[in-house]
Amino acid sequence: MSLQTAVTSRKGSVIGPISHVACPWRTDRTGRAAAAVRAAAARVGHDPSGLSSLRFGKPTPADMEVLMQEWQGRQCNHAHAGASASAPDLPAEVKGGGFMVTTGRRKVGQGRAAYDAAVRAVQSWQHLQLGWNCTTEPAQQVGAVICSATQTVVPWSVLPAQVTYCREEAAAFGPGDEGRRFVLGLCSLNGHQLAGEERFCVELHGDGSVFYDIFLFSKPDTLLAWASLPVVKLQQVRYVNDGLTAVEAAVKGA
C-alpha cells in the first residue's frame, strides 16, 4: 500500500499529495544479500583447496576431540543428507549427481549372539578404527558430529562428519525372510575432502545368517580430492574391505 504525503510550496499553498512506493530494486537487492549471507553461513568451514585438513602426523585423540567440538554447527556439504537410508536404491538426484558408489557385503556370523556382537561393534565405532583410519567416538544420535583421521600415502586428513540416522528395526528381506536390521548413516560436513554419505548396516536374517553391509556415495569436494581422484577411489575400496574385516573380527572375538 502506498503512503501519501501532502507537499506544500514555499508560499504555503498545498501542491498535492506524493505517493511513496517501495523501490522494487532495493527490495530485490536486500533479498539477494540475505540469500548470499545464508549461503555463506551454510558453507562455513568449506576449504575449496582441501589443504587445511592435512596433517603431517597422525592426530592424537585429544587433537581430534578438540576438532570435533570446533566443528559443531557445520552444515552438510551436499543436499542429500539421509539419502543412503534407502540404499541400494537412491533418489534420482543422487543417481544423476555424479557420485561414485562403493559397496561391500559379507556374512560375519550366525545367530542372535553374532548379530548383537556386530551391532555393538558398529555402535562403539570399531568398524572405523582401521589403523590408517580412526574416529572420535561420540554417542550415536542424530546430529552428533565426529572427527575422522585418514592417512593417504604420507599426510593425514582430518575430516568432519555427522550422524544422519541411527536405528534398529524389524526388517523383511524377502518372501519368508524376516529378521532385524541396525543401520547407521554418516554424512560429510563442510571441510571434508569428499561430499557424500555412508551407510553401515547389520542384518539378522530369518535363517540366522548375519550380514554386514557398507554403502557409500561420494564425490570430490576440494581441488585436492579432484587431483588425487585415482587414489581416492582406491582408498574407498580399502575403507570398505577393511571395515568389513573389522566387524567380522569383532564378532569372532566376542
Side-chain angles (χ1 to χ4, degrees):
M1 180 180 294
S2 300
L3 297 178
Q4 293 186 331
T5 302
V7 179
T8 305
S9 70
R10 291 181 180 178
K11 295 182 178 180
S13 60
V14 176
I15 297 175
I18 293 179
S19 297
H20 299 280
V21 182
C23 297
W25 66 269
R26 184 171 297 173
T27 302
D28 182 60
R29 186 172 64 180
T30 302
R32 290 199 304 271
V37 169
R38 290 193 297 269
R43 294 299 272 170
V44 168
H46 177 61
D47 172 18
S49 72
L51 296 176
S52 63
S53 71
L54 296 183
R55 303 291 186 275
F56 287 102
K58 184 177 182 178
T60 66
D63 292 337
M64 294 173 66
E65 287 289 336
V66 170
L67 288 171
M68 184 177 71
Q69 296 305 318
E70 290 179 356
W71 292 340
Q72 301 296 321
R74 286 198 182 183
Q75 301 297 307
C76 180
N77 61 351
H78 58 91
H80 312 294
S84 65
S86 61
D89 294 326
L90 292 172
E93 57 271 23
V94 176
K95 290 180 179 179
F99 291 94
M100 305 176 292
V101 173
T102 310
T103 65
R105 180 177 176 84
R106 185 180 300 177
K107 182 177 179 179
V108 295
Q110 186 74 24
R112 183 61 190 248
Y115 170 78
D116 290 342
V119 170
R120 286 196 301 271
V122 176
Q123 288 177 327
S124 61
W125 302 98
Q126 292 181 53
H127 64 302
L128 298 182
Q129 313 304 337
L130 309 176
W132 60 275
N133 184 90
C134 56
T135 71
T136 51
E137 303 174 1
Q140 288 181 1
Q141 57 189 15
V142 175
V145 173
I146 72 165
C147 171
S148 291
T150 301
Q151 186 179 28
T152 52
V153 189
V154 176
W156 288 73
S157 292
V158 288
L159 308 169
Q162 185 176 58
V163 175
T164 47
Y165 55 86
C166 180
R167 58 181 177 269
E168 185 174 14
E169 59 197 5
F173 301 106
D177 186 7
E178 296 184 353
R180 294 196 65 76
R181 175 194 293 123
F182 172 83
V183 290
L184 170 68
L186 299 177
C187 75
S188 55
L189 301 179
N190 287 326
H192 203 292
Q193 297 283 358
L194 304 176
E197 191 165 80
E198 308 171 347
R199 188 201 68 170
F200 308 95
C201 178
V202 181
E203 300 172 353
L204 174 62
H205 287 254
D207 64 356
S209 299
V210 179
F211 287 88
Y212 179 50
D213 187 280
I214 303 176
F215 185 99
L216 320 176
F217 69 82
S218 64
K219 61 183 177 181
D221 196 43
T222 66
L223 293 174
L224 181 60
W226 277 113
S228 57
L229 188 55
V231 175
V232 169
K233 291 180 178 180
L234 289 174
Q235 289 286 81
Q236 293 286 63
V237 173
R238 182 187 183 192
Y239 180 76
V240 168
N241 288 336
D242 287 5
L244 295 173
T245 298
V247 171
E248 183 178 34
V251 172
K252 289 180 178 179

